Amino acid sequence: MALATLGIVVPSVAAFYEFVLKGRKRLGYRIQMDTTTTNVAETDAELPGALLELQNHGVPLRHASLVLLRVENNGFTYIDTHDYVALDDDRVGIRFFFPNRKVVGTVITELSNDSLRANFRDLRTSFREETDRRPAGGVIELPKVPMNRNAHYKVLAALERVAGVTGEPAPPTLEGEIKDGRIQETQSRTNTPKRVITLVGFLVLLIVAQLVVFLRGNSGAPLDCTTGHLAVYGSTAFEPIVAEAAGAYRDLCPGASFAFTMEGSGEGVAALDDRVRAHDKGEFIAFSDGRKAAGMPGLTGRPISFFLFALVANPDAGVRDLTLSQVRDIYAGKVANWAAVGGNDLPIRLITRHRGSGTRAAFKERVLGTTAEAPPTVDVCPHDSGRQPFVCEVGDTGKLLTTVAGTSGALGYGEAGAAAATEGVRTVRIDDHPPTVEAADAHLYPFWETEYAYTGGEPAARSLSASFLRFLTTQTGADILRAHGLRPCAELADPARCQPA
């Protein structure tokens, strides 16, 4: 009894200290290098010579220095774009200030997750003039980067000392705040403090003791861990996300297994409806980009996440932004050459999804509205048609993205996270708004849909279906959704936008 009480008190005290006293949200930064390029030893190697010859627009830097910064989420919870203390229309989240130095160039050198890459398209630098309170200096402006726990990125900067200043440059400082949290400078330690070793040793002994008690008194599975087999149907756009979540669930619950037949939202919901009408006793879930069709009363749906989509173009098209009116004219067949909308002189090749696709249904409802699409003009996609435009259809998101990447003048659409990770395609803004949760949540970006999970009636509370859906929206699965650029419905500024099924 005493051991069980201790097992509750110690974690409670630790949680109170971390979550209340120290704050859950913490953004850490570390200056891993700050050195002048002249502070090098004599050597026969060629590399130091190259470093001494840094230039700015062809002019050699006289007093250059290199700085390597590391920014990380070292707190206990996800940091979103709205957690940075800044105006909503300000894309800058934090700033690094370099007294008496000018920023010549910056580059992102390391990302803990490739999904962070799209955030740095708007990396900026500036220079502040001297005031009574501070010296002149360069500024690196970093965007509001959403970061999972332990995520990090590094910034390498080349700087030049301000004319007339002597001596060693002052270290950079960070400017910015995190709501309900803090920003702190972290230190790389080579030796662990004795008190930490003592605390860790005590906790290890406590955990071992609790494990022994648990194994003696209970041989069952962990809390909310269900065994069995679950068949998953539906959206090809959602397949990589739900497959990753299923893998994480299997790691927690080895007795669970999953089978995937992801051929499209419409096909998936129809397959589930067939199972329900046949009174199949197995466990099934169908994920759909948007609501199911009418005439399926046996299916029960629940909103899972806010699902973003993006227009994607082959870079040869020469466009980065289209108005909603231009998009509608293109898909109606009224515009057939990119030059008519500010792009290059190339025919427009439309790569669309097959009928029954949830992504296509979302595109028609959210973007085209009442505009009628031009019908397919070729059966094979891609198609060699010389300088002629064409329209063709493909069966899944991956095929669409690779086809757009390999077809000059092509335009298509797909899941935003997959589009950002696909080489050879360019995400196109709509009315100057990028495919972000913030823009869609603010009613500025139109191309999104609610991702629904459909089951045959309400699944039993202890079923694998119910357990997996809870895992997907409230546990590790929710982190996976965020990592792919999605957001659980409950985390939206306007949760009602995820309309009930």
Side-chain angles (χ1 to χ4, degrees), residues 38-39 42 66 83 127 147-148 185 225 282 307 318 351 388 436:
T38 56
N39 187 24
E42 295 291 337
L66 295 174
D83 290 321
F127 186 79
M147 303 174 72
N148 285 328
E185 183 174 5
C225 177
F307 202 1
I351 318 298
Q388 297 301 314
T436 63

Side-chain angles (χ1 to χ4, degrees), residues 146-170:
M147 303 174 72
N148 285 328
R149 180 182 175 187
N150 296 326
H152 74 271
Y153 61 89
K154 293 184 180 180
V155 184
L156 178 65
L159 304 102
E160 170 74 321
R161 193 168 63 193
V162 174
V165 176
T166 60
E168 291 293 323

Side-chain angles (χ1 to χ4, degrees), residues 96-118:
F96 281 96
F97 176 64
F98 300 84
N100 295 321
R101 285 188 279 181
K102 299 179 180 179
V103 181
V104 177
T106 58
V107 64
I108 304 299
T109 64
E110 182 179 306
L111 299 171
S112 61
N113 189 302
D114 195 62
S115 64
L116 298 176
R117 187 177 306 278

Side-chain angles (χ1 to χ4, degrees), residues 381-399:
C381 192
H383 183 78
D384 183 9
S385 59
R387 294 280 298 176
Q388 297 301 314
F390 64 78
V391 181
C392 67
E393 296 180 345
V394 296
D396 60 68
T397 298
K399 177 66 174 177

Side-chain angles (χ1 to χ4, degrees), residues 214 219-228 243-258 464 466-472 474-478 480:
F214 175 79
S219 58
L223 180 65
D224 205 23
C225 177
T226 304
T227 60
E244 183 177 344
Y249 188 92
R250 281 194 302 266
D251 292 340
L252 174 67
C253 307
S257 63
F258 297 81
L464 178 55
S467 177
F468 180 64
L469 290 176
R470 287 193 295 268
F471 177 83
L472 184 61
T474 62
Q475 301 177 43
T476 304
I480 293 172

